[in-house]
Amino acid sequence: MDASIKTEFMSRYDLPTPEPDSPSLSRSRRPYAFSTLCATVENPNSSHKDQHGSSSVPIYQTATFKGVGGVYDYSRSGNPTRTHLEHHIAKISSAQHAFAVSSGMAALDVITRILKPGCEVIAGDDIYGGTNRLLSYIRTHMGVVVHHVDTTDANSVLPYLNPGKTAMVLLETPTNPLLKIIDIASISALIKEKCEDAVVVVDNTMMSPYLQRPLEHGADIVYDSATKYLSGHHDLMAGVITCNRDDLAQQMAFTINSVGNALTPFDSFLLLRGIKTLAIRMDRQQSSALLVAQMLSKLGFKTHYPGLPNHPNREVHERIADGYGAVLSFETGDKELSERIVGATRLWGISVSFGCVNSLISMPCVMSHASIDPATRAARGLPEDLIRLCVGIEDPADLLDDLQHALLEAGAITLAANDFVRIPNAVNKAVEKLADMQPRNDDTRDREWFVSAPGKVILFGEHAVVHGVTALAASVDLRCYGLSSPRDDGKVSVRFTNIGDHYHEWNIDELPWDAASPIPPGEAHADVLDQRLVDAISQRALPPAEDLPPKTHGALLAFLYLYMSISYKGSRDRPSFHLQVKSTLPVGAGLGSSAAYSTCMSTILLLLNTRVSVPPLPVPSRSPSHPEDPGHIHISHQGRRALPPDVADEINRWAFVAEKVLHGNPSGVDNSVSVFGGALAYTRPGFGKKSGTDPIQGFKSLKFLLVDSKVPRDTKKLVAGVAAKKMDEPEAVGKVLEDIQSIVDEARRALADPELSRDDLLSALSTLIDENHVHLVSLGVSHEVLETIRNKTAAQPYGLSTKLTGAGGGGCSVTLIPDNFQDKHLRELVALLEKDSFQPYLTAVGGSGVGILSPYNDPHRVARYGNDPMTPPDTPSPEEYDEHAGLSESVLKSEFESVAHEDFALWADSQGRWLYV
């Protein structure tokens, strides 16, 4: 920024309150009231006065200015219309400096550019979703540590203050949509005492400068989405920033000039026009909001509004604010009832925004927060039935009348004795009993969780999938199993039965939490891993990889990465438990064992942190054999109940994160098959065609012989080799990839064709398997042991088709077994392969995905173990602990450890009702 513009940014706001020309009086003038300041758009700097004396600030709709050495030269750096606006904003905000940019999020972006890699940010745990997204980005890409804290209690920030590191504390009050109150003054004072270099930033959008000026209460920077109350008409996008510190103003001015996100002249004009009526608009809006809140509260609805006497921290709000605002929310106790109410309104517009002259209504859990799974919303205390009201300037009598009619039409209230009264919610007693029978959130960590996930075979498309070719994959009935058992000693531990029976434990408080940025419920993990956390775990929580059994270092790293990313609350809320993993899948053989492990681990961590929940019990019915017991579940042991799609989606997202830790850049197909089961077609994004996963409907069950060559393979090296070959021979490799895509397309058609006979299907798949393997050999990813297995299975009298699966370079092969293949020949082939030290598995593909053993007391388990086998004793005696201190024994855990490998799958299936995707 040139010197003249920089000087302009730094000095333009050091101005007196403007006074109209008049003779001097014997007494000094009283300060102007806020509404007068809003309506009086003057700038005493002579260089900014309009030469024609226009009563409305002109729009200087120009990109450049003529001359040399003038105040303005380029509108990105400065524009007279914007200068007037910024002076006006500073004046009404108790600020020395103000900046106008293109949106509220642009304002926050400018502010966060103050941060440097390695510094730390403390933010609320109930803040605007766009703010969360931006914080996630800077955490991932800038190396900034972000702590999400319940800022309604000022002392909650104390454990996260790190002098020399804590650089910013980000607040908003009231929060949206529950109107929680944060004490800006107390937190600001605390920060200045403990971390004097930290900057306190406040999002003031809900209040606007009219009702709250955080700079007066210790904040360093304040920003608003001016799209809301400052504009008031929803006809422009804008953001404003105010501060009183010259050093901060200089940094932000430099950023705005550099990136070019300053507000345009025309939008500056519109925003100036809107601000003139800010006071009178908000006076009307908040007075009407109080009437609406009082009416709803009187009717018996739980109403969230700072103006109500019982609102939490109301005295704090009244100390730091000049009014209660125009946003409120209320609960009906019934989501469907809330939907009917919202749909029945006529005057209230259904919209996700607020701050407009028109009144708006919305259901956050159906609209703005619908992307967050129900379990996470429940963990954050966000009711599914919540209705948010943003009150406008319409006649309050009309607003009340319209809302009353909507409540009446929806069946929420009725007219009695010439007055409206609330109709009590008609609660279905059977549903109420089911709710009582569900496991409570506070019991989640006091019980054992038994989960499982299948491995996978890629039938067609290995290696080519990395380059945009579709892969066909299916689950196998070989699975990984995970059992979590609660600990009471502040430790977390794991045991990998199939990897050297390795055991490892950590003190939870001694983990490198300073490097962690736990992801709050409802937020997705960034696209890339948090390398700072990966490095901290590797260097401070794990021994060197060479000191551990093979594959153990990666498994431990993935576990701790997910544990520290998902356990987002304070130390007392982080689950203390033992995870034991056992697998009937061969580990490291290319059958998706790491994805199955990732899925089991993610499922248990999400359950323990109440981010997902199992579905409720089926409706109880009287059984003929138990007529006296209305709660007896009359369902066969084999009855299948599905896990909800939102639960599966959340598990899949975190399983993919774990796969990234283990493999760097996975395709995503392994974890998707492990979670969803069945068979699917997967296309990687970024290749100019539709990406994602598509289930293969009507997939016919197929019998395969999986053969573990017991030769390790290096997936990363093999993938890199294909990439290098493609660079050296683009035409030849491109042709191979096209041919593989054709094979995949033909296989999909055959599998989905209901008219194709079983014999023709198996014959077609056999031919495609042979063709696919030839192409993989040409890519250089096979191995001599795989070719040996192919030759043995293809020899007479077998004549079977075999191909590598997974990465190749060793690992596993898959052999299609026709329906009419003789048992005698199968036994001979298995014996032949075992003689050469290969490990064959006869299996089927296309079964269930992730499974969770039902935590409810079904008759099968009660008959075997007695009541509630899933919950260990509350106060076990010393002899009830195993060799690892703090870990209580249970029947389930004991058998999990002792059942023989060859009997384990059958034992696991016999434990009770499994809930599958």
Side-chain angles (χ1 to χ4, degrees):
M1 182 184 297
D2 61 47
S4 63
I5 298 300
K6 176 180 174 182
T7 301
E8 165 64 16
F9 266 109
M10 298 304 300
S11 65
R12 69 178 67 160
Y13 305 116
D14 188 15
L15 302 168
T17 299
E19 297 183 0
D21 296 333
S22 64
S24 56
L25 301 175
S26 58
R27 60 183 178 85
S28 61
R29 289 182 175 273
R30 64 184 294 273
Y32 288 161
F34 191 94
S35 57
T36 305
L37 293 177
C38 283
T40 308
V41 182
E42 295 290 346
N43 193 325
N45 190 321
S46 60
S47 65
H48 298 149
K49 287 186 177 296
D50 176 54
Q51 60 180 321
H52 302 294
S54 62
S55 59
S56 180
V57 174
I59 306 172
Y60 286 85
Q61 193 67 41
T62 180
T64 60
F65 299 84
K66 296 178 181 179
V68 178
V71 174
Y72 302 101
D73 58 2
Y74 195 58
S75 277
R76 171 168 56 80
S77 302
N79 180 282
T81 311
R82 190 165 67 244
T83 297
H84 273 274
L85 169 65
E86 290 171 338
H87 171 267
H88 196 55
I89 291 168
K91 182 180 64 178
I92 65 174
S93 302
S94 301
Q96 291 295 316
H97 308 277
F99 305 96
V101 293
S102 56
S103 70
M105 287 310 302
L108 182 57
D109 179 55
V110 169
I111 295 167
T112 55
R113 289 177 190 251
I114 296 171
L115 301 171
K116 296 178 175 60
C119 64
E120 300 184 7
V121 175
I122 298 173
D125 61 358
D126 183 26
I127 55 179
Y128 174 54
T131 303
N132 270 325
R133 284 191 295 271
L134 183 57
L135 291 178
S136 297
Y137 180 86
I138 66 173
R139 177 182 59 227
T140 301
H141 296 280
M142 289 179 56
V144 173
V145 177
V146 180
H147 304 289
H148 289 277
V149 180
D150 178 10
T151 47
T152 57
D153 177 7
N155 291 325
S156 65
V157 304
L158 284 173
Y160 299 92
L161 292 180
N162 188 356
K165 288 286 189 179
T166 303
M168 185 175 291
V169 178
L170 181 57
L171 309 171
E172 68 178 71
T173 182
T175 62
N176 178 17
L178 291 175
L179 287 298
K180 296 179 180 179
I181 305 302
I182 284 80
D183 192 340
I184 300 171
S186 294
I187 292 182
S188 296
L190 194 62
I191 299 304
K192 299 309 177 187
E193 177 187 351
K194 304 292 184 180
C195 296
E196 60 181 1
D197 294 331
V199 176
V200 178
V201 179
V202 178
D203 178 351
N204 197 44
T205 304
M206 284 280 280
M207 288 283 99
S208 87
Y210 180 43
L211 299 182
Q212 187 170 266
R213 291 168 296 283
L215 292 178
E216 297 176 357
H217 301 287
D220 297 293
I221 302 174
V222 179
Y223 71 100
D224 289 64
S225 172
T227 309
K228 311 299 193 296
Y229 288 114
L230 287 170
S231 165
H233 295 79
H234 283 187
D235 54 7
L236 69 94
M237 298 284 292
V240 300
I241 309 169
T242 57
C243 72
N244 283 323
R245 284 175 48 179
D246 293 349
D247 59 330
L248 295 176
Q250 185 172 352
Q251 292 180 65
M252 292 186 290
F254 177 83
T255 298
I256 293 168
N257 185 54
S258 299
V259 302
N261 61 357
L263 197 62
T264 66
F266 186 73
D267 285 336
S268 296
F269 167 81
L270 288 177
L271 186 52
L272 265 171
R273 187 175 66 169
I275 292 174
K276 291 179 182 179
T277 60
L278 172 63
I280 58 172
R281 282 188 283 107
M282 292 214 73
D283 281 343
R284 178 61 168 263
Q285 287 173 282
Q286 68 173 343
S287 66
S288 297
L290 181 59
L291 294 175
V292 173
Q294 289 171 338
M295 181 195 78
L296 292 169
S297 181
K298 180 181 177 182
L299 286 170
F301 296 104
K302 184 176 181 179
T303 308
H304 306 276
Y305 185 65
L308 294 176
N310 59 349
H311 190 78
N313 282 350
R314 184 188 190 217
E315 69 285 354
V316 172
H317 183 80
E318 290 179 335
R319 173 161 45 84
I320 63 175
D322 296 327
Y324 303 120
V327 177
L328 65 140
S329 59
F330 70 103
E331 303 172 36
T332 67
D334 186 320
K335 181 180 177 182
E336 292 183 358
L337 176 62
S338 296
E339 291 173 346
R340 294 197 301 271
I341 293 169
V342 171
T345 58
R346 297 294 179 266
L347 193 55
W348 299 78
I350 302 176
S351 174
V352 295
S353 191
F354 63 90
C356 185
V357 293
N358 305 111
S359 295
L360 305 174
I361 189 171
S362 67
M363 281 187 68
C365 290
V366 176
M367 301 168 70
S368 58
H369 293 67
S371 61
I372 305 174
D373 68 87
T376 301
R377 293 198 294 260
R380 297 176 67 176
L382 188 58
E384 296 289 310
D385 58 297
L386 189 73
I387 296 176
R388 189 187 71 176
L389 299 171
C390 308
V391 182
I393 66 170
E394 301 93 343
D395 190 293
D398 291 332
L399 291 174
L400 293 171
D401 181 69
D402 186 64
L403 188 57
Q404 287 170 342
H405 275 85
L407 293 167
L408 190 65
E409 183 179 328
I413 62 175
T414 188
L415 189 61
N418 294 320
D419 198 5
F420 289 109
V421 295
R422 185 180 176 187
I423 300 175
N425 291 334
V427 181
N428 184 292
K429 296 302 179 184
V431 174
E432 188 178 55
K433 176 175 284 187
L434 285 179
D436 291 339
M437 297 172 70
Q438 283 199 63
R440 303 187 307 274
N441 280 346
D442 55 3
D443 288 340
T444 299
R445 295 177 184 178
D446 296 331
R447 65 174 64 249
E448 292 182 310
W449 288 103
F450 192 14
V451 305
S452 70
K456 69 91 183 62
V457 291
I458 296 185
L459 302 177
F460 302 99
E462 292 92 336
H463 282 284
V465 68
V466 178
H467 303 281
V469 173
T470 303
L472 293 189
S475 60
V476 298
D477 58 2
L478 301 173
R479 301 177 75 88
C480 177
Y481 299 85
L483 175 67
S484 72
S485 303
R487 298 183 65 134
D488 60 2
D489 59 352
K491 293 182 179 181
V492 64
S493 54
V494 293
R495 183 178 179 182
F496 301 131
T497 306
N498 300 81
I499 311 179
D501 202 24
H502 182 77
Y503 175 85
H504 213 101
E505 71 176 21
W506 302 266
N507 287 313
I508 294 174
D509 291 340
E510 294 177 5
L511 291 172
W513 292 104
D514 58 300
S517 300
I519 312 298
E523 289 295 306
H525 190 283
D527 291 336
V528 298
L529 295 176
D530 184 344
Q531 193 59 45
R532 185 167 180 259
L533 179 57
V534 171
D535 294 341
I537 293 172
S538 298
Q539 297 164 12
R540 295 157 54 188
L542 296 177
E546 55 269 22
D547 295 342
L548 294 168
K551 306 183 185 302
T552 306
H553 186 274
L556 294 173
L557 176 61
F559 171 77
L560 284 184
Y561 187 94
L562 256 65
Y563 179 80
M564 298 179 71
S565 297
I566 293 176
S567 302
Y568 70 99
K569 296 182 179 179
S571 60
R572 65 182 183 277
D573 296 310
R574 294 166 183 149
S576 175
F577 70 100
H578 172 67
L579 171 64
Q580 183 156 340
V581 181
K582 204 168 188 177
S583 180
T584 58
L585 276 165
V587 176
L591 293 179
S593 58
S594 68
Y597 163 64
S598 297
T599 300
C600 288
M601 174 175 56
S602 301
T603 303
I604 282 176
L605 285 170
L606 291 169
L607 285 167
L608 290 175
N609 285 279
T610 62
R611 291 189 178 218
V612 297
S613 59
V614 296
L617 279 167
V619 176
S621 62
R622 294 183 183 270
S623 167
S625 59
H626 298 78
E628 74 289 347
D629 180 10
H632 182 76
I633 308 299
H634 188 52
I635 295 179
S636 71
H637 171 55
Q638 299 299 325
R640 231 186 110 176
R641 288 168 47 232
L643 291 172
D646 58 330
V647 171
D649 289 340
E650 183 71 359
I651 293 171
N652 193 40
R653 282 190 288 269
W654 282 102
F656 185 53
V657 173
E659 282 283 85
K660 286 184 178 182
V661 178
L662 290 164
H663 297 303
N665 188 25
S667 67
V669 64
D670 285 21
N671 52 275
S672 296
V673 172
S674 185
V675 171
F676 295 103
L680 56 83
Y682 171 82
T683 306
R684 193 169 185 168
F687 291 90
K689 55 185 176 181
K690 181 184 177 183
S691 62
T693 58
D694 293 314
I696 300 177
Q697 304 298 334
F699 182 83
K700 290 92 174 173
S701 177
L702 301 172
K703 189 175 3 178
F704 278 91
L705 185 67
L706 307 181
V707 183
D708 183 2
S709 71
K710 298 187 178 179
V711 174
R713 79 276 187 276
D714 188 335
T715 303
K716 293 181 181 179
K717 182 178 179 180
L718 291 164
V719 170
V722 175
K725 189 176 182 68
K726 186 179 179 184
M727 290 282 291
D728 295 338
E729 307 172 44
E731 292 185 6
V733 174
K735 178 64 167 60
V736 171
L737 297 178
E738 290 176 4
D739 290 343
I740 294 176
Q741 181 66 65
S742 298
I743 291 171
V744 171
D745 293 340
E746 183 61 32
R748 288 187 72 175
R749 284 191 291 270
L751 289 166
D753 187 354
E755 303 298 326
L756 193 65
S757 70
R758 179 75 175 183
D759 287 344
D760 289 343
L761 171 65
L762 292 172
S763 176
L765 292 177
S766 178
T767 301
L768 293 174
I769 284 173
D770 289 335
E771 292 179 4
N772 195 175
H773 186 80
V774 170
H775 290 308
L776 293 172
V777 171
S778 70
L779 292 177
V781 295
S782 188
H783 190 279
E784 61 182 0
V785 295
L786 295 175
E787 298 306 317
T788 298
I789 294 170
R790 266 181 53 82
N791 293 334
K792 289 183 181 296
T793 58
Q796 293 303 321
Y798 313 120
L800 301 176
S801 295
T802 299
K803 63 181 284 293
L804 67 85
T805 188
C812 261
S813 67
V814 291
T815 302
L816 180 64
I817 306 296
D819 296 341
N820 60 358
F821 194 71
Q822 295 183 25
D823 289 343
K824 179 184 73 171
H825 288 157
L826 185 58
R827 288 193 299 271
E828 289 175 357
L829 179 57
V830 168
L832 181 64
L833 293 167
E834 289 177 337
K835 182 180 178 181
D836 288 346
S837 299
F838 301 129
Q839 178 62 60
Y841 300 86
L842 186 61
T843 186
V845 301
S848 301
V850 64
I852 302 173
L853 186 66
S854 172
Y856 307 108
N857 290 338
D858 71 82
H860 176 85
R861 288 209 340 260
V862 171
R864 176 166 181 169
Y865 295 115
N867 193 49
D868 203 5
M870 294 294 285
T871 303
D874 291 333
T875 55
S877 58
E879 61 270 16
E880 291 176 301
Y881 288 94
D882 70 1
E883 69 273 17
H884 306 303
L887 183 58
S888 58
E889 281 288 6
S890 71
V891 174
L892 189 60
K893 177 178 177 297
S894 176
E895 294 192 5
F896 185 98
E897 293 176 341
S898 62
V899 172
H901 179 83
E902 60 272 15
D903 301 324
F904 191 81
L906 184 62
W907 170 82
D909 287 341
S910 71
Q911 293 312 294
R913 188 184 304 108
W914 283 84
L915 312 176
Y916 290 109
V917 170

